Amino acid sequence: MASVVKISRRKATARTPMREPRVRLEVEERRRQLIELGLQHFGERAYDDVSIDAIAEAAGISKGLLYHYFPTKRAYYAATVREGAARLVASTDTGEGADPLVSLDAGLDAYLTYVKAHAKAYATLMRSGVGVDPEIARIVDETRATFVERLIAGFAGSQSSGFLDAPVVRLALRGWVGFAEAASLGWVEAIAAGTPTPSQDEVRALLGGAMMEIVRSALRGLTREAARG
Amino acid sequence: MASVVKISRRKATARTPMREPRVRLEVEERRRQLIELGLQHFGERAYDDVSIDAIAEAAGISKGLLYHYFPTKRAYYAATVREGAARLVASTDTGEGADPLVSLDAGLDAYLTYVKAHAKAYATLMRSGVGVDPEIARIVDETRATFVERLIAGFAGSQSSGFLDAPVVRLALRGWVGFAEAASLGWVEAIAAGTPTPSQDEVRALLGGAMMEIVRSALRGLTREAARG
DNA sequence: CCCTCTATTGACTGCTGTTCAATACGCCCT
DNA sequence: AGGGCGTATTGAACAGCAGTCAATAGAGGG
């Protein structure tokens, strides 16, 4: 944990030109620094537009060292996406609320606040990352699944909780996550563009309402199905 | 339009080894061929995993020629995405139906059929493409906007058509497009994985029902808002 | 003060996107 | 038929970047 770093400076003379002295960090600290830099860079530019050299230079290290910590550029990128997703999940975890509806609203509000605060990075990570590598797609999908699980857990004990495992309902919930992503992206983009924009409360109400209606719609189809067959 | 191609063959001798004779195509034809190849390759592999050399080899041309038709790899990729999006839009255009509801159902059915038929390519294009270049993101966004416009046009003349331009409703519709994409992706993935899967009719009903409810929900919030303020 | 352990370097490789001057194929004119 | 011309096409050369590896230096311990 010793975050104390000793640096031995040297004089720059005519014979031996000034070289940046090595800065030796502990493994975990270096790793954190690199992931932090990755979040910054990949949050602003597309994957292809971020070079390992640029990261290394920004970190003040050599390219080779980065490959000591991450086997490939994709693995490095995957690590940053994993971190970003973890932060998103953590920041929207409102714990076990007494009332699932209140809990849902709190979670959505935290989600929107997060998206608004990290608009560009959120957009870049969610949009740009997926195509680069199956591994990254898996991470994003698992993050979405986490949200779905959370939603289902919130509604366990509700009247028709038995139907919540039905394929249609799972599909509906997955779709709703897509709805939330698209709507929130549109929201922050509209804010950035300066066009007339609904308030965060309105958007939250929209997302919450949409979820109720989507699930209800799926359940309705389900019971209609059950009544027939 | 002359699609007749004359090929002059040569004998392969010991002194002058067999070389593939040049095949000279007209500009439009070559362009079509390349875009078709692009749809195939980018539909199966991620952007980075498709090399210009591979495309050139598959087309039986030199790498340089491809750069005669497209200035950069990204531009080439953008052209293929544009073509793919155009086909999707065209194949789901059911014309002006008498009843907007019937028209909606027909459009959704065509959409799902298309997605199921081009599952892999659809997934790759929609997921992978966006992050590569702002240009591609613009194309995808415009495609989504086209769907939204179509939906709105279908419901013009409906009772509360005056509210359809409200920011909340536009956001709701954009969100619904995200919903449709996520749900249909989940659907075809579930089919591919062999897990229990709703029928196409069920999914169509889910999408249609969700749209009605989402828009209704957004409008309800709107009128409530109007009543207050 | 030296020794060791390892975080760190930097030069090297190979692949891939991109450029460009040269080339050859097909068409048209005589 | 054949020669000239326009242009589709080539292929070699360039540049930049991901990834490799043997060598190095800096810090901590004996």
Side-chain angles (χ1 to χ4, degrees):
Chain A
M1 278 299 162
S3 60
V4 183
V5 177
K6 296 177 189 171
I7 300 179
S8 57
R9 294 235 163 254
R10 303 180 215 170
K11 287 252 183 74
T13 69
R15 310 215 115 210
T16 63
M18 178 79 170
R19 239 191 318 163
E20 289 301 318
R22 289 189 178 178
V23 177
R24 202 185 171 104
L25 292 189
E26 287 183 17
V27 174
E28 266 315 302
E29 199 164 353
R30 182 65 79 191
R31 198 183 174 82
R32 263 202 298 269
Q33 177 207 16
L34 291 177
I35 287 186
E36 201 64 40
L37 277 170
L39 283 171
Q40 287 174 23
H41 284 247
F42 288 122
E44 281 175 0
R45 285 182 248 286
Y47 176 80
D48 274 346
D49 292 336
V50 176
S51 71
I52 293 291
D53 291 273
I55 299 282
E57 190 180 349
I61 62 173
S62 73
K63 193 166 45 170
L65 185 56
L66 203 148
Y67 281 94
H68 178 74
Y69 287 90
F70 305 96
T72 66
K73 184 185 179 185
R74 290 187 176 186
Y76 172 51
Y77 184 58
T80 67
V81 171
R82 214 174 283 124
E83 174 65 20
R87 291 187 188 180
L88 170 64
V89 168
S91 78
T92 58
D93 185 12
T94 57
E96 296 281 323
D99 187 349
L101 284 185
V102 174
S103 182
L104 173 67
D105 260 14
L108 288 178
D109 210 50
Y111 178 76
L112 288 175
T113 302
Y114 184 93
V115 171
K116 196 165 71 177
H118 305 78
K120 182 129 192 208
Y122 175 80
T124 310
L125 278 179
M126 277 296 167
R127 309 186 82 177
S128 156
V130 182
V132 174
D133 195 288
E135 169 77 5
I136 280 94
R138 221 200 60 211
I139 295 171
V140 174
D141 280 345
E142 281 178 3
T143 306
R144 288 177 179 140
T146 302
F147 283 118
V148 170
E149 294 306 326
R150 211 184 261 171
L151 290 172
I152 288 185
F155 278 87
S158 161
Q159 61 251 20
S160 42
S161 60
F163 289 111
L164 285 177
D165 283 333
V168 204
V169 179
R170 297 201 82 89
L171 201 60
L173 285 172
R174 170 159 177 183
W176 179 83
V177 175
F179 175 89
E181 285 177 10
S184 48
L185 262 179
W187 181 54
V188 293
E189 280 177 13
I191 291 179
T195 55
T197 309
S199 69
Q200 180 164 338
D201 281 347
E202 284 179 281
V203 180
R204 174 168 47 77
L206 176 67
L207 295 188
M211 198 195 99
M212 308 299 295
E213 304 297 349
I214 285 172
V215 173
R216 190 178 303 169
S217 169
L219 286 174
R220 190 183 312 140
L222 206 63
T223 51
R224 197 183 304 143
E225 180 96 344
R228 267 213 314 275
Chain B
M1 275 300 161
S3 60
V4 182
V5 177
K6 297 175 188 170
I7 300 179
S8 56
R9 294 237 163 252
R10 303 180 215 172
K11 288 254 183 74
T13 69
R15 310 217 115 212
T16 63
M18 177 78 169
R19 239 190 318 165
E20 289 300 318
R22 289 189 176 177
V23 177
R24 201 185 172 105
L25 292 189
E26 286 182 19
V27 174
E28 265 317 300
E29 199 164 352
R30 182 67 79 191
R31 198 183 174 83
R32 263 201 298 270
Q33 177 207 15
L34 290 177
I35 287 186
E36 202 63 42
L37 276 171
L39 283 171
Q40 288 174 23
H41 284 246
F42 289 122
E44 280 174 2
R45 285 181 249 285
Y47 176 80
D48 275 345
D49 293 337
V50 176
S51 72
I52 294 291
D53 292 271
I55 299 282
E57 189 180 350
I61 63 173
S62 73
K63 201 165 38 168
L65 185 57
L66 202 147
Y67 280 91
H68 178 75
Y69 287 89
F70 305 96
T72 66
K73 185 185 179 185
R74 289 188 177 186
Y76 173 50
Y77 183 58
T80 68
V81 171
R82 213 175 283 124
E83 174 65 20
R87 291 188 188 177
L88 170 63
V89 168
S91 79
T92 57
D93 185 10
T94 57
E96 297 281 321
D99 185 350
L101 284 185
V102 175
S103 182
L104 174 66
D105 260 13
L108 288 178
D109 210 50
Y111 178 77
L112 289 175
T113 302
Y114 185 92
V115 170
K116 196 165 71 178
H118 304 78
K120 182 129 192 209
Y122 175 81
T124 310
L125 278 179
M126 278 295 166
R127 309 187 81 173
S128 156
V130 181
V132 174
D133 195 288
E135 170 77 4
I136 280 95
R138 221 200 59 213
I139 296 171
V140 174
D141 280 344
E142 281 178 3
T143 306
R144 288 177 180 141
T146 302
F147 283 118
V148 170
E149 294 306 326
R150 211 185 261 170
L151 291 172
I152 288 185
F155 278 87
S158 161
Q159 59 251 21
S160 43
S161 60
F163 289 111
L164 284 177
D165 284 333
V168 204
V169 179
R170 297 200 84 89
L171 203 58
L173 285 172
R174 171 158 177 185
W176 179 84
V177 175
F179 172 84
E181 285 177 10
S184 47
L185 261 179
W187 182 54
V188 293
E189 280 176 13
I191 291 179
T195 54
T197 310
S199 70
Q200 179 164 339
D201 280 348
E202 284 178 280
V203 179
R204 175 169 48 77
L206 175 66
L207 296 187
M211 199 197 99
M212 309 298 296
E213 303 298 348
I214 285 172
V215 173
R216 190 179 301 168
S217 168
L219 285 174
R220 193 184 311 140
L222 206 63
T223 52
R224 198 183 304 143
E225 180 97 342
R228 266 213 316 274

